[in-house]
Amino acid sequence: MTTACEIPTVQPAPASEPAPVAAAPAVERLLSGRFVRLLVMVFGSGLSMYLLTSVVPLYLAANGSGGIGAGLSTGAMMLSAVGVELLVPRMLARWGYQFVLALGLVLLGAPSLVLLAAASLPLVLSVCVVRGAGLAILVVGAVALVADLAPATRRGEALGVYGVAVGVPAVVGLPLGVYLTNVIGFGALFVLAAVASLAGLITLVGLPAKVSIEEQHVQVLGGARRSGLLMPTFVFAAVTVAAGISVTFLPLAVAGDKHSLVATALLLQAISAPAARWLAGRYADRIGPAKLLAPALVLAAVGAGSLVFVASPIAILLGSACFGIAFGAAQNLTLTLMYDRVDRSRFGQVSALWNLAYDGGWGIGAMVFGAVVGGVGFPVAFALTAVVVASAVVPAVRASVA
């Protein structure tokens, strides 16, 4: 009992527990086993494509088909790809990733062996058409699967890593194909291209067999304008016009005794593109892809325009390096921008549209250039190419300030 003179003892307040420190969000893993297998498949199929990209035009020219045949070969492959790309989202929804990607590998690789039989223009163009169908299936399916497998917060980086896997074969294949024509001949090169693609069938084990229910949007053009997909599609197509022209006609524009110069230029372009694609992806995740797109297009126009001075080795080498950097960055920036504007159900649509821009620009540019260059010459034709690329700067600037 407490008396009046007693002072009640005040119990000290219990020490408060320190507030828990919020754990830093875990960084989601990017390179899963399935993603690595996909990258290996992409590398092999890319090598199959790039080994023959500049070689088939040389093969036709060596057998009397000239510049028109060279342009038709590139155009036939890419326009075939454009037609099939419209169908790939529906194919993926019906048959799943494994079956569709396997079909693409066979169509891209096996027809290369047919080139051993003859070099007639109709036969070569038929092979290019079939290979274009295989290419369409692979690029649309692979890009959609990258977006599916990658964490949403690291999608730009994942697309950059994918870009490296696509770009390294260009580093190896474009110059190596031109070089090997004088070492092992066209026939052995055709066999090597076939093996590079068909070997990728092994890597399909373990990849998702089916597309998830939420990815069933199969209309490629439906709602593209409302979703903001048309601008980056057309902007990227302007860049791919120059890309198709450079790899198809640079070997023909430079004197035949300077194949080493062409191989070096293609190597510079091929090395710079995947590096820029990866870096652009990392920075796009931080500041947004739209802010980087216009500078990339300006650099692309400068690189394409440098080929006006086709008699200058320095102009060719510097221009190829500049264009490679810009082309790689534009690939990642346009694709990331498109994925950021849609929900997951439209990933297949984005992949198809972006690849339509890639292959359509590549093929149409080569065909038109082949028809025009005979009348105006290489310098004027390359200047017109630079104008086409420069025309895409304005919509890219508008996108950056929107």
Side-chain angles (χ1 to χ4, degrees):
M1 184 176 180
T2 304
T3 63
C5 63
E6 291 178 317
I7 301 175
T9 302
V10 179
Q11 298 294 329
S16 59
E17 295 291 334
V21 178
V27 177
E28 296 181 86
R29 185 183 178 189
L30 185 62
L31 295 178
S32 64
R34 293 189 298 179
F35 191 25
V36 170
R37 285 194 291 275
L38 174 63
L39 295 178
V40 172
M41 184 212 72
V42 165
F43 177 88
S45 60
L47 185 61
S48 177
M49 173 190 170
Y50 284 112
L51 277 173
L52 302 187
T53 297
S54 294
V55 166
V56 169
L58 287 175
Y59 184 56
L60 286 170
N63 288 276
S65 295
I68 293 179
L72 287 175
S73 67
T74 300
M77 183 171 183
M78 294 308 174
L79 294 182
S80 168
V82 167
V84 175
E85 280 162 357
L86 294 168
L87 306 176
V88 176
R90 190 176 300 277
M91 294 168 64
L92 290 173
R94 182 170 183 178
W95 294 310
Y97 285 115
Q98 281 186 337
F99 177 83
V100 173
L101 291 176
L103 178 63
L105 290 170
V106 172
L107 293 179
L108 178 65
S112 302
L113 301 175
V114 178
L115 295 175
L116 297 170
S120 67
L121 183 58
L123 178 65
V124 175
L125 293 181
S126 299
V127 168
C128 291
V129 167
V130 178
R131 295 189 78 227
L135 175 66
I137 292 171
L138 290 170
V139 293
V140 174
V143 172
L145 187 53
V146 169
D148 195 12
L149 295 177
T153 56
R154 303 185 69 183
R155 185 175 297 135
E157 186 177 0
L159 292 170
V161 174
Y162 167 80
V164 173
V166 174
V168 171
V171 173
V172 178
L174 281 174
L176 184 61
V178 174
Y179 171 75
L180 287 180
T181 57
N182 296 319
V183 178
I184 62 176
F186 289 111
L189 199 55
F190 297 150
V191 173
L192 181 60
V195 171
S197 181
L198 296 175
L201 293 169
I202 302 173
T203 66
L204 297 180
V205 178
L207 293 183
K210 295 293 182 182
V211 179
S212 59
I213 296 299
E214 60 184 356
E215 294 180 29
Q216 296 299 309
H217 185 93
V218 296
Q219 296 296 324
V220 174
L221 300 178
R225 184 175 183 180
R226 293 191 304 274
S227 303
L229 299 179
L230 289 186
M231 184 280 293
T233 299
F234 287 122
V235 165
F236 184 51
V239 183
T240 62
V241 164
I245 288 170
S246 65
V247 299
T248 302
F249 288 96
L250 187 58
L252 304 179
V254 177
D257 59 346
K258 294 183 179 179
H259 275 178
S260 61
L261 172 63
V262 175
T264 303
L266 293 175
L267 179 63
L268 285 174
Q269 180 172 318
I271 288 175
S272 56
R277 190 168 179 178
W278 174 69
L279 286 173
R282 285 183 61 86
Y283 284 103
D285 284 340
R286 301 173 187 177
I287 66 175
K291 294 181 179 179
L292 301 173
L293 186 55
L297 290 171
V298 171
L299 186 60
V302 171
S306 69
L307 295 182
V308 170
F309 309 101
V310 71
S312 169
I314 294 177
I316 290 175
L317 296 176
L318 289 179
S320 296
C322 289
F323 184 79
I325 293 170
F327 184 47
Q331 289 179 68
N332 193 300
L333 297 172
T334 52
L335 187 55
T336 303
L337 183 63
M338 293 169 74
Y339 275 126
D340 288 348
R341 291 182 172 184
V342 299
D343 58 33
R344 195 179 190 89
S345 66
R346 291 182 176 266
F347 279 3
Q349 180 190 25
V350 166
S351 178
L353 278 174
W354 186 84
N355 281 289
L356 280 171
Y358 195 122
D359 298 332
W362 193 296
I364 292 173
M367 292 180 70
V368 173
F369 192 97
V372 168
V373 70
V376 302
F378 281 106
V380 174
F382 284 132
L384 293 174
T385 303
V387 171
V388 172
V389 178
S391 68
V393 174
V394 173
V397 170
R398 290 177 179 172
S400 67
V401 298

